[in-house]
Amino acid sequence: MLSTGPTDRDPAREELLPGRIAPLLAAAVVVGSGIGILLPGLGQQAGRLLPPTVLLLVTALFFEARLDLRGALRAWRVVGPAWSVNFGLVPVLAYVISSTFVGRELAAMLGLFIYFAAPCTDWFLGFTRIAGGNIVAGSVLLPINMVTQLAAYPLMLSIFFGHRSGRVPDVGFTVLIWFALPFVAARLGRMVAASTSASLQARLTRRAGRLVPWVITALIIEIFGANAQTILAHFRIFIWCLVAVFSFFVIIFFIGELVGRACRLDRGDQVLLTMTTSARNAPLMLAITTVAIPGEPLTYAAIVIGMLIEFPHLVAVSTLLRRRGSVHRVVVRRMI
């Protein structure tokens, strides 16, 4: 997701919210599936709400974002390796893992690839703070990740799936229309709020951030409500999706460790590298995909499955890194 930066949001809320959102999203899957199976007519009605819900989500994400590219040169030591892994190595790994586990089902494979290939631009900063990482460099990395992944979305689909999907040429135009307009509206809204008072801008930004999880929840209910029958018919595929997501997180954790050591990063930068390569940008990718590649419920469901696993994974990784840092500090004190 998009970053508000460390000054736009209550730090305590930023750290607690990711821990709460996984059960909320899981409940949305259950509720949406129940509606689609027991009340299919209502599920189809819910599906018609997808376009306005996507617009609301994207506008809230962009309003919440703090775009400040200054400082990138000072943070190059960690920003460079993190960007290279996220947009150079990860897409290749994403294709290999998704094709290995669900390669026979193009729609699910596409969803996993999209989920894997987009680095998070919000939640991971809170987890980086919890683990004692470099959040200053992290705030520099966030807008870079955001701009790169939006620009790379149609390009990556064309490179990896262009020969298998006839819809790819239309993706770039769709992304431009559906995301350029909300971006402009959100930035104008921030400018108007800032011209009134800084406190008003901060207050509206916090409220946009609090709104995002609930809009994501509504989007998931609508997707599963409208497509529960199709998703249920392919349930076995999603077992393999779970295995694929777990495998991705294990592999990328060790890649982050190896790259950090090869680049001789200090502990704070190493934590940042690990968290930014572990966290994915499922909300924005889900929004993009529902409008750029319409009528593919298996693709959307695969992205949601990745999101459900991601938050427990980030909690585990941040806890591990925090404990490792505590041990390191104790050893240093004894040496002194």
Side-chain angles (χ1 to χ4, degrees):
M1 290 172 59
L2 309 180
S3 170
T4 60
T7 61
D8 283 347
R9 181 187 292 176
D10 180 359
R13 182 175 296 275
E14 183 177 45
E15 293 174 1
L16 290 173
L17 184 56
R20 297 172 180 170
I21 195 172
L24 180 65
L25 301 184
V29 171
V30 173
V31 171
S33 300
I35 292 174
I37 294 171
L38 301 176
L39 302 168
L42 180 60
Q44 294 303 314
Q45 292 294 329
R48 295 189 178 96
L49 298 175
L50 275 171
T53 305
V54 169
L55 284 175
L56 178 60
L57 173 61
V58 175
T59 302
L61 287 168
F62 282 139
F63 192 92
E64 187 191 17
R66 182 178 66 88
L67 302 181
D68 183 5
L69 298 180
R70 291 178 300 178
L73 292 177
R74 294 193 298 271
W76 67 270
R77 184 174 177 82
V78 62
V79 169
W83 188 91
S84 300
V85 171
N86 273 326
F87 296 103
L89 179 60
V90 167
V92 177
L93 178 63
Y95 186 82
V96 170
I97 292 179
S98 59
S99 61
T100 298
F101 287 96
V102 293
R104 294 184 179 180
E105 183 56 64
L106 177 59
M109 178 183 171
L110 182 60
L112 282 181
F113 174 84
I114 291 170
Y115 171 74
F116 291 147
C120 177
T121 54
D122 187 0
W123 301 122
F124 90 92
L125 191 60
F127 286 107
T128 300
R129 181 187 290 111
I130 293 172
N134 186 349
I135 61 172
V136 174
S139 65
V140 171
L141 183 62
L142 296 179
I144 296 174
N145 281 350
M146 180 198 66
V147 171
T148 304
Q149 66 189 240
L150 285 176
Y153 183 89
L155 179 62
M156 286 187 180
L157 291 189
S158 180
I159 291 173
F160 289 98
F161 293 91
H163 64 294
R164 304 173 71 178
S165 174
R167 292 173 176 166
V168 170
D170 298 328
V171 169
F173 179 75
T174 302
V175 170
L176 176 65
I177 295 300
W178 276 79
F179 296 91
L181 295 179
F183 175 81
V184 171
R187 305 321 296 175
L188 289 175
R190 282 183 68 102
M191 290 173 59
V192 171
S195 65
T196 304
S197 72
S199 62
L200 175 61
Q201 182 187 21
R203 192 160 58 249
L204 291 176
T205 300
R206 286 194 298 270
R207 290 179 179 175
R210 295 170 191 172
L211 178 66
V212 165
W214 297 103
V215 180
I216 297 170
T217 300
L219 188 64
I220 292 173
I221 291 174
E222 293 162 8
I223 289 171
F224 277 78
N227 302 286
Q229 301 291 344
T230 302
I231 293 170
L232 187 62
H234 295 81
F235 182 76
R236 186 177 63 86
I237 293 174
F238 296 109
I239 301 299
W240 287 108
C241 286
L242 290 171
V243 177
V245 173
F246 178 80
S247 301
F248 173 83
F249 282 139
V250 171
I251 294 171
I252 200 63
F253 175 81
F254 287 106
I255 288 177
E257 292 283 296
L258 291 174
V259 171
R261 291 179 184 179
C263 295
R264 298 182 179 180
L265 300 180
D266 60 31
R267 183 185 174 276
D269 287 346
Q270 175 66 69
V271 170
L272 172 61
L273 176 65
T274 299
M275 298 311 300
T276 187
T277 53
S278 294
R280 303 290 93 192
N281 199 4
L284 186 58
M285 291 301 103
L286 181 61
I288 289 178
T289 306
T290 54
V291 296
I293 311 177
E296 294 292 351
L298 299 185
T299 300
Y300 316 148
I303 297 174
V304 172
I305 286 174
M307 198 186 325
L308 294 176
I309 299 177
E310 178 178 343
F311 289 102
H313 166 73
L314 293 179
V315 170
V317 170
S318 60
T319 301
L320 172 64
L321 295 176
R322 185 174 66 248
R323 290 179 178 175
R324 181 189 295 177
S326 299
V327 171
H328 175 75
R329 286 191 293 272
V330 169
V331 171
V332 170
R333 289 194 196 101
R334 289 179 178 176
M335 291 177 61
I336 294 176

